[in-house]
Amino acid sequence: MSFVEYGDTIKDGDTAIVFLGHESMFPVKVQHGSVTQTKYGVIRHSTDLIGKKYGSKVTCSKGGWVFILHPTPELWTMNLPHRTQILYSTDISIITMMLELKPGSIVCESGTGSGSLSHALIRTVAPTGHLYTVEFHQQRAEKAREEFREHGVEHLVTVTNQDVCKNGFGVSNIADAVFLDIPSPWEAIGHAKSALKAEGGRICSFSPCIEQVQRTCLAMEESGFTEINTLEILLRVYNVRTVSLQIPDLGKAAEDNSSTGFDSSSPSHQGSSCADLQQGTVQFKSGVPLREVVGHTGYLTFATKSLL
């Protein structure tokens, strides 16, 4: 199993996603002899998972069933164990596009955190690219190395435990793009410029506070970066549902009733009046925004290394 190469069959040691519903899923490490408890009952890895195809419908011990999905960076973002605050697919998608990443790209990242963005970057630059990721916290760096090894992508990523603001990324003039998600990104702009290729490259900084953005933009300008711009991505989700509305009475029915001497107050006519009212409805699909939406996550500042 690899996050960058699809495998048909579930194997011992794989990381799989147990899908109970759109709002309920979790990762599980498949191990011979192990069991996983769900609200629908027990899943026995040896008999229910190993050897089955990804996407299979598995019946649990209580009679309920789940689907076993192949892991992807998107599914991992939704289900990973949080060691830090993470980036979600909305921000990740614009970062990947604006940094102009493609297979074969070399990317430098700091900090690694929970590895949400890291997995997406690795999938994008595979099979010939590479990710150099720097994490200040030693335990988080070690856990990231372990996850990359379990997910079959360790050959595409190098994890370094050091302070990027003081020691940089450990590489020079090889990166096509640099991403910063640290408390003081302005202190790492010089190291980011050194890591980028001499012929230029792109940089992105993620910051939750506008004061961080201001200092970072000033540091970028002083270091000779151009095309500096900051944006914020706000996702608004809609529910599509069937809505019934009454057809408006524009007066024609009232005129017809008056011309024929129709008395709506008469008991004999009240039933027919209600029936006509019920029949005068139309159903259609409508998009309704959620009552609660995800608000501010952070500001994304992009810039280009100048060739001058």
Side-chain angles (χ1 to χ4, degrees), residues 40-62:
Y40 301 126
V42 174
I43 301 174
R44 295 175 175 80
H45 293 198
S46 300
T47 57
D48 297 332
L49 299 183
I50 297 177
K52 299 290 181 65
K53 289 187 175 297
Y54 279 106
S56 297
K57 183 178 179 180
V58 174
T59 303
C60 304
S61 60
K62 293 182 180 179

Side-chain angles (χ1 to χ4, degrees), residues 139-176:
Q139 291 181 336
R140 287 201 292 263
E142 292 174 354
K143 184 62 179 178
R145 289 194 192 97
E146 179 184 342
E147 286 182 350
F148 292 142
R149 183 170 57 253
E150 291 178 353
H151 298 166
V153 296
E154 71 277 7
H155 61 292
L156 296 169
V157 58
T158 299
V159 181
T160 305
N161 173 218
Q162 64 186 27
D163 186 352
V164 70
C165 296
K166 295 181 179 180
N167 307 113
F169 294 93
V171 295
S172 299
N173 301 321
I174 67 169
D176 297 289

Side-chain angles (χ1 to χ4, degrees), residues 186-233:
W186 57 89
E187 296 181 359
I189 296 300
H191 295 296
K193 184 177 181 180
S194 299
L196 289 169
K197 291 180 177 179
E199 56 267 30
R202 294 280 287 167
I203 182 174
C204 174
S205 174
F206 177 90
S207 298
C209 301
I210 195 64
E211 292 81 6
Q212 294 171 301
V213 175
Q214 292 172 332
R215 298 187 65 174
T216 302
C217 289
L218 288 174
M220 288 178 174
E221 188 175 12
E222 292 172 357
S223 296
F225 283 90
T226 60
E227 299 179 327
I228 302 172
N229 65 89
T230 300
L231 51 87
E232 178 186 19
I233 307 299

Side-chain angles (χ1 to χ4, degrees), residues 1-7 70-73 119-127 151-153 155-156:
M1 183 277 304
S2 172
F3 271 56
V4 297
E5 296 177 1
Y6 183 80
H70 191 285
T72 64
H119 282 80
L121 294 177
I122 291 170
R123 197 260 308 272
T124 302
V125 304
H151 298 166
V153 296
H155 61 292
L156 296 169

